[in-house]
Amino acid sequence: MLQYWRSFLHLFYPELCMGCNAALIAQEEIICTSCLFHLPYTAFHMDSNNEAMQLLKGKFPFEFAACMLHLRSGSIVEKLIYNLKYNNHPQVGEYLGTKYGTSLRESPYFAKIDMIVPVPLHPKRLLKRGYNQSECIAAGLSLGMDVPVNTRLLHRGRYQKSQTKMYRSDRIGNVADSFYCKNGEQWADSHILLVDDVLTTGATMAAAAEALINHIPHCKIYIVSIGRA
């Protein structure tokens, strides 16, 4: 009966695809079958010389880096990220995170992860948005990888302007000294998966990773994002 009732409501209030706004049909969730089929997967998680690795190499010590999808202007991925961050659809992050977590679980490069740490938002931005999109992705990754999320370890101490339209040099200065850790000593020797929604210049990941490295003895850092801009 519940399924019939949901189908009836769907006639008048259809759920829409977060990638193209088409009405979802039965068995579809968050993204329609067409958008799901056309998602530009990177396969970075199986390539030790991938584009994310090359981008971050030399900026800070890390074990591995990967991104789920290529992000291009006007693409399905851009619409998904926009809906996640600005249109109050946190379920997009958990959905994509779960799918990617399942893939990462098959990769030998992510076999030793002890915890998942989302890049935090400043409390002021968190209050405005209502949720941290990276936490949503981390929650999905946790489901896919069966690894716990730690949201109490890494914090953001300085409020910055949005980096969406900034140049590379501006991004680096914008996030410098933005992050700090609490009680890092108790997580010594941990293998930490640091998560953000999009990897662009690597400035945010570098600042966040350095805060972890400087406060957690002998930790190992892994990097993951949904989009590679």
Side-chain angles (χ1 to χ4, degrees):
M1 288 297 295
L2 179 61
Q3 183 61 42
Y4 285 119
W5 177 244
R6 291 179 64 183
S7 298
F8 177 76
L9 288 177
H10 189 75
L11 292 174
F12 299 96
Y13 305 100
E15 295 182 16
L16 302 180
C17 171
M18 293 290 102
C20 69
N21 291 327
L24 297 178
I25 61 175
Q27 309 305 319
E28 291 182 337
E29 180 184 6
I30 310 297
I31 306 174
C32 70
T33 302
S34 177
C35 285
L36 197 59
F37 179 78
H38 289 98
L39 285 179
Y41 293 101
T42 66
F44 285 0
H45 62 293
M46 302 300 287
D47 179 7
S48 61
N49 193 37
N50 68 63
E51 187 179 319
M53 294 282 288
Q54 296 176 26
L55 174 71
L56 299 175
K57 186 177 181 180
K59 293 185 176 181
F60 59 92
F62 69 97
E63 302 301 307
F64 203 85
C67 307
M68 179 183 183
L69 304 167
H70 293 289
L71 172 58
R72 300 288 184 265
S73 178
S75 66
I76 295 170
V77 180
E78 183 181 59
K79 293 176 183 176
L80 290 172
I81 297 296
Y82 189 88
N83 278 320
L84 168 61
K85 294 180 68 171
Y86 305 115
N87 278 347
N88 195 32
H89 290 294
Q91 70 273 21
V92 174
E94 185 168 336
Y95 177 83
L96 292 174
T98 302
K99 289 187 68 66
Y100 201 33
T102 302
S103 297
L104 296 182
R105 198 168 186 171
E106 300 174 355
S107 169
Y109 302 111
F110 293 92
K112 297 181 179 180
I113 302 300
D114 297 309
M115 72 177 80
I116 301 170
V117 175
V119 170
L121 291 179
H122 187 274
K124 186 176 179 180
R125 193 177 299 279
L126 181 61
L127 182 63
K128 181 179 180 181
R129 184 168 295 166
Y131 58 90
N132 178 0
Q133 72 275 4
S134 295
E135 281 190 28
C136 301
I137 296 166
L141 288 168
S142 178
L143 289 173
M145 301 178 73
D146 194 24
V147 174
V149 177
N150 188 332
T151 59
R152 298 183 178 182
L153 178 60
L154 186 63
H155 302 268
R156 203 157 195 156
R158 186 164 63 86
Y159 186 79
Q160 302 93 24
K161 298 178 181 179
S162 173
Q163 299 195 136
T164 304
K165 297 182 179 180
M166 286 187 177
Y167 292 107
R168 179 184 297 268
S169 57
D170 295 329
R171 286 172 181 261
I172 295 172
N174 193 47
V175 296
D177 302 319
S178 298
F179 302 96
Y180 64 93
C181 289
K182 285 186 176 180
N183 304 316
E185 296 80 6
Q186 66 177 300
W187 304 109
D189 302 306
S190 294
H191 292 246
I192 301 171
L193 180 60
L194 184 61
V195 179
D196 206 1
D197 55 346
V198 176
L199 179 66
T200 305
T201 65
T204 298
M205 285 295 200
E210 286 174 356
L212 295 172
I213 293 167
N214 292 336
H215 292 87
I216 304 176
H218 313 297
C219 69
K220 304 292 185 183
I221 303 297
Y222 301 74
I223 302 295
V224 154
S225 73
I226 293 299
R228 166 65 180 118

